[in-house]
Amino acid sequence: MNVTEHDIFQRTELLLGSNGLDRLAALRVIVVGVGGVGSWCAESLVRSGVRRLTIADPDLVCASNINRQLMATTGTIGQPKVEVMRRRLLSINPQADITARREAFTAETADRFDLGSYDFVVDAIDSLRDKALLILTVCQLPSTRLLSSMGAALKLDPSRIRVAEFWRVEGDPLARALRKRFKREGRYPARKFRCVYSDERLQNQNLSQTDEADGATTPRANGTVAHITAIFGLTLASLVVRSAG
């Protein structure tokens, strides 16, 4: 069947109008971290009409990803997350321009990302150090907007998911840790940015379990479920989509 972009996005156009759809198609967006939050965000962006998307993540799919990450199945274990995700996104819209970078955003790689060339940077990074660096970097850029996910683990209640400016996020341990880090280092984000977060804080029920990544195990993994990580990601995508409406 010969499916056109008009066929795919006719319902989106009814809601946003042709101008809104054109604005979405013109955006350049990068999602940094394609895990439980970032994978759902990336798919929602492409399904909504974003055509120019970069996804960045260094990891391979592992078994413990399957409960919450969109690209993770028993058939994709061991494959690079961004490559699996790129194939899926192109199966949704073959005309999309999807760049897959199997690379983490770190102090060593930051200069290679050219973040100023994007309209939106979606931060779905788990690492506190790398997340802080990404926030500081993007907030120095005059025309690139940052959207950031706070912690999606140890949550079950989707009704407690919120959007707030970073310094107004309450009850989230990751936001608190970031603020402490900024104060300790004496470096602060140069401008405001919005975050998706939840103030719910549950406890792990099985502290003996570990998380696996690329054949290794990481202790102190926190419990997560798909309906929370997905809503975090979909909410981040909604902020991009609403900017074009």
Side-chain angles (χ1 to χ4, degrees):
M1 179 182 291
N2 184 21
V3 178
T4 68
E5 284 193 313
H6 174 72
D7 297 324
I8 297 170
F9 299 117
Q10 56 182 305
R11 299 296 180 92
T12 309
E13 186 175 359
L14 284 172
L15 188 60
L16 298 181
S18 58
N19 290 336
L21 196 59
D22 288 344
R23 285 192 290 271
L24 270 182
L27 289 177
R28 292 197 64 194
V29 183
I30 181 170
V31 177
V32 186
V34 189
V37 172
S39 60
W40 296 91
C41 178
E43 173 146 334
S44 183
L45 289 172
V46 171
R47 286 189 184 274
S48 298
V50 171
R51 295 182 82 249
R52 299 192 293 177
L53 179 68
T54 298
I55 50 177
D57 194 297
D59 293 336
L60 305 178
V61 176
C62 63
S64 64
N65 300 151
I66 294 173
N67 83 315
R68 69 197 183 282
Q69 298 188 16
L70 190 61
M71 84 300 289
T73 68
T74 55
T76 61
I77 290 173
Q79 298 179 36
K81 291 181 182 180
V82 290
E83 294 297 338
V84 179
M85 197 70 205
R86 182 176 184 273
R87 292 196 299 270
R88 180 177 173 90
L89 297 177
L90 289 175
S91 74
I92 295 167
N93 181 11
Q95 302 304 312
D97 178 9
I98 310 296
T99 300
R101 298 186 59 155
R102 192 183 167 194
E103 186 172 29
F105 181 89
T106 67
E108 292 72 32
T109 66
D111 290 344
R112 299 202 290 265
F113 275 80
D114 189 21
L115 296 177
S117 66
Y118 296 96
D119 298 292
F120 282 94
V121 173
V122 178
D123 158 36
I125 297 177
D126 292 330
S127 163
L128 178 66
R129 177 188 59 191
D130 298 339
K131 193 178 199 74
L133 177 62
L134 182 66
I135 289 170
L136 291 171
T137 301
V138 179
C139 286
Q140 292 177 337
L141 302 173
S143 59
T144 302
R145 285 173 280 184
L146 173 68
L147 301 169
S148 183
S149 172
M150 296 295 105
L154 299 174
K155 325 284 186 190
L156 282 175
D157 185 354
S159 71
R160 292 172 69 167
I161 298 173
R162 301 285 187 270
V163 177
E165 194 279 320
F166 172 68
W167 293 98
R168 294 184 177 273
V169 172
E170 297 180 350
D172 180 89
L174 180 53
R176 184 164 55 248
L178 284 165
R179 290 193 286 255
K180 287 182 177 178
R181 186 181 185 94
F182 293 144
K183 291 175 183 178
R184 182 174 68 250
E185 296 181 353
R187 297 194 301 163
Y188 298 90
R191 54 186 168 86
K192 295 180 178 180
F193 61 97
R194 287 190 287 178
C195 302
V196 177
Y197 75 101
S198 167
D199 64 359
E200 185 178 20
R201 180 68 174 175
L202 302 177
Q203 298 294 322
N204 287 313
Q205 297 300 306
N206 188 347
L207 297 180
S208 66
Q209 289 188 357
T210 58
D211 193 22
E212 60 178 303
D214 295 350
T217 58
T218 304
R220 301 179 62 188
N222 287 320
T224 50
V225 289
H227 69 266
I228 295 295
T229 62
I231 293 174
F232 267 64
L234 297 176
T235 303
L236 288 164
S238 81
L239 297 174
V240 176
V241 173
R242 284 186 278 166
S243 76

